Amino acid sequence: MNVGGPRFDVVTLFPQMLRDALGYGIPGRAIEAKLARLVLWNPRDYAADPHRTVDDRPYGGGPGMVMKFAPLAAAVRAARANRRDAAPVIYLSPQGQRLDATGARALAAGPGAVLVCGRYEGVDERFIIAEVDAELSIGDYVLSGGEPAAMVVLDAVLRLIPGVLGDAQSAADDSFEAGLLDWPHYTRPEKIEGLEVPEVLLSGNHEAVARWRRLEAERRTRERRADLWDRYFQ
Ligand code: ADE
C-alpha cells in the first residue's frame, strides 16, 4: 500500500517556503531518495478573479483578513483528485490536536496527508467544515501562518520513514520514542575548558554505557518533564 513512501500535498500561498525549508538535511534526503513525496498547491492558482484574490474582510468586522473558501477548497480538491488514496486533509491550526511523537509516527506509517496552511487571521470556517478531516497544532502559541507548522510536521514525520535515517537505531533512540527525553552526548576532545567526558563513555563497556544513558535519560525526564515522567510509569 505504502510503496514509495507517504505522499504529502501541501496547500500554501508560499510553496517556495516549503520547498526551500525541506530541501536540506534529512527531509531533503528523504524526498530526493523518493522515500516520500512532496507536492505543493497554491490557492492563488485557483482564484477565479483577475486579481487572484485569496482573502477578504471578516464578516462582523475587526482587523485582519480571512482566507476565502473558494480558492482554498479548489486547491484541496485538486490535490485530492490528484491522489489515488483517501488521505486525510489536515489543517494546521493552534485549535488542533497537538503534534507529538505518536502522531508523527502515525503520519509516517500511513499514506500521507493533504496539509493546509492558513494565513492572515484564519480561514473561512465553512472551508474547515467542508474539506478538513483534522486540525493539527504544533504548540500553544500563534504563528503568522501554517507554513512553519507544516515544515515542523514534515520534518518530524519524514525522518521516521523507514530507510530515511542511516542508522536504524537513531530514530528509536530519540527523545520521546521510549517516553523519555534524550541522554547527553559527547564527542572529541575528551576535555574542553575543564569539562570532561563522563568516564563510563570512555570505558568501552557497552552494557555500562547503555545503563548510564538510560539513567541519564530518566534523570532528565524526572527533573525537566514531570508530565512525561508520570506517564512513563502508567
Ligand atoms: N498556525 C498558526 N499557529 C499554529 C500552531 N501553533 N500550530 C499549527 N498551525 C498554526
Side-chain angles (χ1 to χ4, degrees), residues 91-95 118 136-147 149-150:
Y91 173 51
L92 281 320
S93 131
Q95 277 83 49
L136 187 60
S137 167
I138 63 159
D140 290 341
Y141 39 80
V142 178
L143 303 167
S144 53
E147 285 78 8

Side-chain angles (χ1 to χ4, degrees), residues 28 41 61 80 82 102 114 117 123 129 137 146-147 150 174 217 220-221:
W41 305 85
R80 286 176 52 192
N82 195 251
T102 306
V114 178
C117 304
V123 307
I129 295 167
S137 167
E147 285 78 8
D174 280 345
R220 281 190 164 183
T221 310

Side-chain angles (χ1 to χ4, degrees), residues 147-168:
E147 285 78 8
M151 293 171 197
V152 167
V153 170
L154 289 172
D155 188 293
V157 169
L158 295 184
R159 61 195 300 287
L160 297 174
I161 295 166
V164 169
L165 294 183
D167 175 7

Side-chain angles (χ1 to χ4, degrees), residues 29-196:
R29 191 142 43 81
I31 294 163
E32 180 77 17
K34 298 192 169 17
L35 295 167
R37 271 188 80 191
L38 178 67
V39 184
L40 299 162
W41 305 85
N42 191 339
R44 204 172 287 283
D45 296 336
Y46 296 86
D49 64 308
H51 293 107
R52 302 222 167 273
T53 310
V54 291
D55 61 338
D56 206 341
R57 287 165 298 144
Y59 278 123
M65 299 291 267
V66 175
M67 285 182 76
K68 291 168 71 64
F69 175 92
L72 265 180
V76 166
R77 287 168 189 169
R80 286 176 52 192
N82 195 251
R83 304 181 58 119
R84 282 191 214 99
D85 56 15
V89 175
I90 299 175
Y91 173 51
L92 281 320
S93 131
Q95 277 83 49
Q97 189 180 328
R98 203 119 56 110
L99 178 73
D100 60 13
T102 306
R105 267 195 304 273
L107 275 173
V114 178
L115 301 177
V116 182
C117 304
R119 276 270 143 184
Y120 312 108
E121 308 307 303
V123 307
D124 192 305
E125 187 67 17
R126 292 162 295 184
F127 165 76
I128 299 174
I129 295 167
E131 294 294 334
V132 171
D133 298 306
E135 292 183 57
L136 187 60
S137 167
I138 63 159
D140 290 341
Y141 39 80
V142 178
L143 303 167
S144 53
E147 285 78 8
M151 293 171 197
V152 167
V153 170
L154 289 172
D155 188 293
V157 169
L158 295 184
R159 61 195 300 287
L160 297 174
I161 295 166
V164 169
L165 294 183
D167 175 7
Q169 262 304 93
S170 45
D173 282 347
D174 280 345
S175 284
F176 304 112
E177 288 306 314
L180 293 172
L181 299 181
D182 202 3
W183 54 71
H185 302 267
Y186 295 87
T187 188
R188 291 186 292 175
E190 272 182 36
K191 195 167 179 181
I192 300 172
E193 300 183 356
L195 300 170
E196 291 183 22

